[in-house]
Amino acid sequence: DEVAKHAGDSVTVCGKVVDARYFEQSKSGPTLINIGAAFPNQLLTVVIYKEDRPAFSYAPETKLVNQEVCVTGKIQLYREKPQIVAKKERQVTIQ
């Protein structure tokens, strides 16, 4: 619940993936993985951009839903909500 207070810090955050979506038609093609609650009440969003999807050996928007995961990276605020951009599969571990 205190993730937003750590904006700019590199952290590891663990929680349950409630929903995820791949915006394939968008220019940057983000995959948004919501932890803790569904959008717009998520505690943390993990963002995987289209250019980084090849670094993942699975489709994150399907494999990670309903899984307990830990995500490591730098907390950024996007529209006052915390997010971590994952560029490599090793940043997201299934517990």
Side-chain angles (χ1 to χ4, degrees), residues 7-25:
D9 295 342
S10 291
V11 298
T12 297
V13 178
C14 299
K16 184 173 185 176
V17 174
V18 177
D19 66 4
R21 188 157 173 217
Y22 177 28
F23 292 89
E24 197 170 0
Q25 302 306 317

Side-chain angles (χ1 to χ4, degrees), residues 3-82:
V3 176
K5 295 178 185 173
H6 293 278
D9 295 342
S10 291
V11 298
T12 297
V13 178
C14 299
K16 184 173 185 176
V17 174
V18 177
D19 66 4
R21 188 157 173 217
Y22 177 28
F23 292 89
E24 197 170 0
Q25 302 306 317
S26 170
K27 184 178 178 185
S28 59
T31 301
L32 303 179
I33 301 161
N34 294 313
I35 296 176
F39 178 84
N41 300 310
Q42 71 277 16
L43 301 176
L44 174 72
T45 301
V46 179
V47 181
I48 302 167
Y49 290 107
K50 186 186 303 184
E51 66 193 30
D52 298 318
R53 282 180 66 91
F56 288 76
S57 63
Y58 55 84
E61 69 279 6
T62 55
K63 181 169 183 167
L64 298 177
V65 174
N66 295 319
Q67 299 284 341
E68 290 286 336
V69 301
C70 289
V71 184
T72 302
K74 185 182 278 191
I75 298 287
Q76 303 169 341
L77 291 181
Y78 178 76
R79 295 186 180 169
E80 304 303 313
K81 292 283 192 172

